Amino acid sequence: MEIRLDSSIEDVELRQSVKDLVATHPDSANVIERLISYYENKDNGKQAKRRKLDQNNQVFRLSDLSFGSPARKKYDLIITSSHLILYNAKLETIESQYSLDEFALGACVPTPEKTNKSFTFVLFLKNEDCIVFNTQDKGDIKMEQASNQSQTLTADKHKEIAQLLTTYARIPISLPSQDISVAAYLKAKDGYLFFLPTGILFGFKKPTLFFPLSSLAGNAFTSITQRTFDLVLSLKGPIYGNSGFKAIKEGEHETVEFSMISQEEFGPIDGYIKKAGINDQSMSEERRAPIKNNNTDEQNATDKENAKEEDSEEDENFEPSDNDDEDPLEYDTDAEEEENDDTSAQIDKEEEQDMLDESD
């Protein structure tokens, strides 16, 4: 079998090694030919992707953005009339591609725990995980539009990007009307809760989740201590985010509990809950603690009566020991009292007799 080595393998030494292998093992020729065809088709596929990208109706392109999901890499974000594309400019390949119809909504919030001010974008798909990327206030972002005009985004870049995504990608981006972000735990995962006009966002470690206001049946503040409290969200509709996450079934609704929230954050969160019209179920019958009996006098009287009955039962059930050295009276409280009374009477009689003798 003739193998296309000269045109397929540029490395002379490698090409000769393959020829020697085929000469020694003729049966390997078929496998090697299949390998060559496989990699040639793969390279052609990459070229096809590049050509497809060039032919797409590119609406705008944001260069060199830092992504956290689906991979921790830098991509160009490209919006076409029908798709959102993550493009690796160094390799000139499309890393990921999504139909614009797959997106449900998005959010943009200040990135927590960053020295330099930055903003994190989360784009939620309807049936898959989310796309996460961030922008820093420092530095500029290059944007190219369909008309081949390029411009630089400088101040308030996050607002301009949010507007571009809303207008051209048809992804509504929720921005915070006020900065309410608090540290919290979802089971063992630490993260931040962001209270936005359209819902509540938890991020940015997996799971990253979004709870639309329309999907919330209510909330409850639980496990309240001097320093922390928990926030339980009851669900009546879909939530968006990591597909592997599962809420807990509690009654007729599923619930998600966020714990270890600082008491300092209670006021702002409670204000948000009331303003958003979320049904606060903290004082519902299901969550009320059992009422303790405060009638201490009645309880004390009952305890005393029970104690008397126990003493009486102990005396009635008394059984003397077989040991002759033991005094059976020390186990019988009534007998002990009788012995003490007899002794006292005897002493009184003796003292009275002594007084009569002295008078004589």
Side-chain angles (χ1 to χ4, degrees):
M1 179 180 180
E2 187 70 23
I3 303 178
R4 298 171 287 111
L5 295 179
D6 293 339
S7 60
S8 302
I9 302 178
E10 296 178 358
D11 189 314
V12 176
E13 186 175 344
L14 176 60
R15 185 165 62 235
Q16 185 58 48
S17 297
V18 173
K19 287 182 178 180
D20 294 341
L21 176 64
V22 173
T24 306
H25 303 282
D27 293 341
S28 65
N30 185 41
V31 176
I32 292 173
E33 179 66 26
R34 288 173 60 191
L35 280 171
I36 292 173
S37 298
Y38 171 79
Y39 283 104
E40 284 182 345
N41 291 335
K42 190 173 182 180
D43 289 339
N44 290 335
K46 288 183 179 179
Q47 294 296 332
K49 284 184 178 180
R50 294 171 192 168
R51 289 194 298 271
K52 183 179 180 181
L53 176 63
D54 295 336
Q55 294 169 2
N56 271 333
N57 182 21
Q58 181 175 304
V59 177
F60 72 86
R61 175 175 183 162
L62 300 173
S63 300
D64 206 28
L65 298 179
S66 296
F67 283 76
S69 179
R72 299 182 68 85
K73 291 183 179 180
K74 285 200 170 185
Y75 295 123
D76 290 358
L77 188 151
I78 300 173
I79 298 296
T80 72
S81 58
S82 59
H83 288 81
L84 183 150
I85 297 170
L86 304 185
Y87 185 73
N88 190 324
K90 290 183 178 180
L91 300 178
E92 298 183 351
T93 58
I94 295 174
E95 294 274 348
S96 301
Q97 181 171 280
Y98 308 89
S99 169
L100 296 181
D101 294 333
E102 295 180 59
F103 289 93
L105 47 83
C108 172
V109 295
T111 307
E113 300 179 353
K114 290 290 185 181
T115 304
N116 297 324
K117 188 176 181 181
S118 62
F119 289 85
T120 297
F121 284 82
V122 190
L123 308 180
F124 291 96
L125 292 103
K126 295 175 182 177
N127 300 315
E128 297 183 35
D129 289 347
C130 52
I131 297 172
V132 181
F133 67 93
N134 64 70
T135 63
Q136 292 189 359
D137 260 13
K138 286 186 177 181
D140 300 332
I141 295 178
K142 181 182 177 182
M143 184 184 76
E144 297 177 7
Q145 292 182 299
S147 57
N148 292 326
Q149 294 180 346
S150 62
Q151 66 180 95
T152 302
L153 304 182
T154 54
D156 292 331
K157 294 185 289 292
H158 65 288
K159 292 183 179 179
E160 291 192 52
I161 294 173
Q163 186 61 46
L164 287 168
L165 290 170
T166 301
T167 303
Y168 297 107
R170 305 186 297 278
I171 306 173
I173 304 296
S174 181
L175 294 163
S177 57
Q178 54 181 326
D179 187 10
I180 306 179
S181 59
V182 303
Y185 279 83
L186 177 57
K187 297 182 180 179
K189 298 286 186 179
D190 62 320
Y192 281 81
L193 284 168
F194 300 87
F195 296 85
L196 304 174
T198 57
I200 300 173
L201 169 68
F202 179 75
F204 291 101
K205 300 175 183 178
K206 287 189 176 182
T208 297
L209 305 169
F210 189 83
F211 303 85
L213 291 180
S214 58
S215 295
L216 296 179
N219 76 282
F221 298 107
T222 63
S223 303
I224 299 174
T225 68
Q226 189 175 2
R227 295 184 178 181
T228 63
F229 65 93
D230 296 352
L231 174 64
V232 179
L233 300 179
S234 299
L235 310 177
K236 63 179 180 181
I239 62 175
Y240 300 103
N242 297 114
S243 55
F245 175 78
K246 292 183 179 180
I248 299 173
K249 185 69 175 179
E250 184 176 313
E252 61 178 314
H253 296 120
E254 291 184 330
T255 62
V256 180
E257 182 175 19
F258 298 97
S259 61
M260 299 297 291
I261 303 172
S262 172
Q263 274 288 353
E264 296 177 356
E265 312 294 352
F266 182 85
I269 294 176
D270 187 49
Y272 172 88
I273 295 294
K274 291 176 180 176
K275 184 177 180 180
I278 303 172
N279 181 21
D280 188 354
Q281 302 169 343
S282 302
M283 298 303 294
S284 64
E285 290 292 336
E286 294 81 1
R287 297 189 179 276
R288 285 185 182 178
I291 300 174
K292 295 182 179 180
N293 185 4
N294 294 324
N295 193 344
T296 54
D297 293 338
E298 182 179 345
Q299 184 65 40
N300 290 337
T302 303
D303 292 342
K304 289 180 180 179
E305 186 65 28
N306 291 337
K308 287 182 180 179
E309 291 178 359
E310 289 176 1
D311 290 342
S312 177
E313 288 177 0
E314 288 177 0
D315 289 342
E316 291 175 0
N317 296 331
F318 163 72
E319 293 182 4
S321 170
D322 294 335
N323 191 344
D324 294 336
D325 296 335
E326 294 179 353
D327 185 357
L329 294 179
E330 68 180 0
Y331 298 100
D332 192 336
T333 54
D334 292 337
E336 186 176 356
E337 290 175 359
E338 290 176 1
E339 181 186 29
N340 291 337
D341 292 342
D342 293 343
T343 303
S344 299
Q346 181 65 29
I347 293 172
D348 292 340
K349 286 182 179 181
E350 291 177 356
E351 290 178 351
E352 183 178 354
Q353 184 62 41
D354 291 340
M355 292 176 64
L356 291 174
D357 293 340
E358 290 176 1
S359 62
D360 292 341

